[in-house]
Amino acid sequence: MRFAAIADIHGNHAALQAVLEDIAALGIRDIVNLGDCFSGPLEAGHTADLLLLLDMNAVQTVRGNHDRYLLETPPEAMGRSDAHAHGQLAPRHFEWLRKLPTSMVWREDVFLCHATPSKDDVYWLDKVSGEGNVVLRPQAEIESFAEGVEQSLILCAHSHLPRVVSLSDGRMIVNPGSVGCPAYHDDEPVPHDVETGHPLASYVVLEKAERGWTPQFRTVAYDHMAVSRLAADNGRADWAAAIATGRMG
Ligand SMILES: [Fe+2]
């Protein structure tokens, strides 16, 4: 079994297209998407049209926290990134979002969720220290979130940081990283920056062989400076810097 996992596209249509081309060039047809599809000052509408097309071709998507905010938060109360995406989405896009599961078992052996099985807004593999440093979460905490999940491969996203963690019983948890947003700032639980340090689009190819699952983390170049300029034109210097460099400045 060999397939690709993508996540945290955040309305970056150009990055998504580049990743899809890379996946196709590898001869891979099966794709799962771990959510946070649209939020951001970019091209939510075009991204949504592409994802609906992929959905028709059996790409499985689970819903992220920002996908949920787009459905649940009144537009006037939304953050700027969600509000920008909300303004670009059509009724058919919201209808698609509403039908997405928050987690699911895919092909019997793979568990999909955006963040953890029970919460869509908690980093599973990473932890924010009191000083705002993002570090590997202690093993016991990672294992406790995995209680009750029986699949040998667990996929999560949300932190935008590519990572693989092995559990003591042999299960594996993989975060593919972010297709469209290589750095960001968040104020919860304490103010912190997440930074990959590069502008490339990230995703992962997963292959199950005799010895178990092997994640192959991939990065793909695209015209990130054009997307950075779009973010700047839309009044978001923070996003422009993040997409240009993978750092917050
Ligand atoms: Fe998220």
PDB file of all heavy atoms in Angstrom, residues 8 36 65-66 114 120 158, ligand 1:
ATOM      1  N   ASP A   8      -3.231  20.979   5.835  1.00  0.00           N
ATOM      2  CA  ASP A   8      -3.003  22.406   6.086  1.00  0.00           C
ATOM      3  C   ASP A   8      -2.655  23.163   4.803  1.00  0.00           C
ATOM      4  O   ASP A   8      -1.620  23.831   4.716  1.00  0.00           O
ATOM      5  CB  ASP A   8      -1.924  22.570   7.170  1.00  0.00           C
ATOM      6  CG  ASP A   8      -2.465  22.143   8.540  1.00  0.00           C
ATOM      7  OD1 ASP A   8      -3.341  22.837   9.062  1.00  0.00           O
ATOM      8  OD2 ASP A   8      -2.025  21.097   9.054  1.00  0.00           O
ATOM      9  N   ASP A  36      -7.920  21.804   7.391  1.00  0.00           N
ATOM     10  CA  ASP A  36      -7.529  23.214   7.336  1.00  0.00           C
ATOM     11  C   ASP A  36      -7.216  23.581   5.887  1.00  0.00           C
ATOM     12  O   ASP A  36      -6.094  23.931   5.518  1.00  0.00           O
ATOM     13  CB  ASP A  36      -6.360  23.535   8.279  1.00  0.00           C
ATOM     14  CG  ASP A  36      -6.885  23.851   9.685  1.00  0.00           C
ATOM     15  OD1 ASP A  36      -8.092  23.680   9.917  1.00  0.00           O
ATOM     16  OD2 ASP A  36      -6.093  24.259  10.543  1.00  0.00           O
ATOM     17  N   ASN A  65      -9.717  22.409  12.393  1.00  0.00           N
ATOM     18  CA  ASN A  65     -10.329  23.411  13.278  1.00  0.00           C
ATOM     19  C   ASN A  65     -10.746  24.663  12.502  1.00  0.00           C
ATOM     20  O   ASN A  65     -11.822  25.215  12.733  1.00  0.00           O
ATOM     21  CB  ASN A  65      -9.396  23.776  14.444  1.00  0.00           C
ATOM     22  CG  ASN A  65      -8.039  24.278  14.004  1.00  0.00           C
ATOM     23  OD1 ASN A  65      -7.443  23.729  13.073  1.00  0.00           O
ATOM     24  ND2 ASN A  65      -7.529  25.303  14.666  1.00  0.00           N
ATOM     25  N   HIS A  66      -9.900  25.104  11.559  1.00  0.00           N
ATOM     26  CA  HIS A  66     -10.290  26.303  10.805  1.00  0.00           C
ATOM     27  C   HIS A  66     -11.420  26.004   9.829  1.00  0.00           C
ATOM     28  O   HIS A  66     -12.225  26.894   9.530  1.00  0.00           O
ATOM     29  CB  HIS A  66      -9.078  26.888  10.079  1.00  0.00           C
ATOM     30  CG  HIS A  66      -8.192  27.675  10.991  1.00  0.00           C
ATOM     31  ND1 HIS A  66      -8.473  28.959  11.380  1.00  0.00           N
ATOM     32  CD2 HIS A  66      -7.043  27.332  11.632  1.00  0.00           C
ATOM     33  CE1 HIS A  66      -7.534  29.400  12.200  1.00  0.00           C
ATOM     34  NE2 HIS A  66      -6.658  28.423  12.374  1.00  0.00           N
ATOM     35  N   HIS A 114      -7.374  15.637  12.180  1.00  0.00           N
ATOM     36  CA  HIS A 114      -6.631  16.886  11.938  1.00  0.00           C
ATOM     37  C   HIS A 114      -5.585  17.139  13.018  1.00  0.00           C
ATOM     38  O   HIS A 114      -4.464  17.553  12.728  1.00  0.00           O
ATOM     39  CB  HIS A 114      -7.592  18.070  11.850  1.00  0.00           C
ATOM     40  CG  HIS A 114      -6.892  19.377  11.663  1.00  0.00           C
ATOM     41  ND1 HIS A 114      -6.190  19.677  10.515  1.00  0.00           N
ATOM     42  CD2 HIS A 114      -6.721  20.441  12.493  1.00  0.00           C
ATOM     43  CE1 HIS A 114      -5.647  20.874  10.644  1.00  0.00           C
ATOM     44  NE2 HIS A 114      -5.939  21.354  11.834  1.00  0.00           N
ATOM     45  N   ASP A 120      -9.741  19.042  17.676  1.00  0.00           N
ATOM     46  CA  ASP A 120      -9.173  19.459  16.381  1.00  0.00           C
ATOM     47  C   ASP A 120      -8.204  20.621  16.515  1.00  0.00           C
ATOM     48  O   ASP A 120      -7.730  21.166  15.522  1.00  0.00           O
ATOM     49  CB  ASP A 120     -10.302  19.790  15.383  1.00  0.00           C
ATOM     50  CG  ASP A 120     -11.172  20.971  15.833  1.00  0.00           C
ATOM     51  OD1 ASP A 120     -10.780  21.698  16.765  1.00  0.00           O
ATOM     52  OD2 ASP A 120     -12.251  21.162  15.231  1.00  0.00           O
ATOM     53  N   HIS A 158      -2.086  19.875  11.760  1.00  0.00           N
ATOM     54  CA  HIS A 158      -2.385  21.014  12.624  1.00  0.00           C
ATOM     55  C   HIS A 158      -1.164  21.833  13.043  1.00  0.00           C
ATOM     56  O   HIS A 158      -1.240  23.056  13.076  1.00  0.00           O
ATOM     57  CB  HIS A 158      -3.163  20.552  13.870  1.00  0.00           C
ATOM     58  CG  HIS A 158      -3.648  21.671  14.732  1.00  0.00           C
ATOM     59  ND1 HIS A 158      -4.365  22.726  14.231  1.00  0.00           N
ATOM     60  CD2 HIS A 158      -3.524  21.899  16.068  1.00  0.00           C
ATOM     61  CE1 HIS A 158      -4.664  23.562  15.230  1.00  0.00           C
ATOM     62  NE2 HIS A 158      -4.158  23.096  16.338  1.00  0.00           N
TER      63      HIS A 158
HETATM   64 FE    FE B   1      -5.288  23.306  12.322  1.00  0.00          FE
END
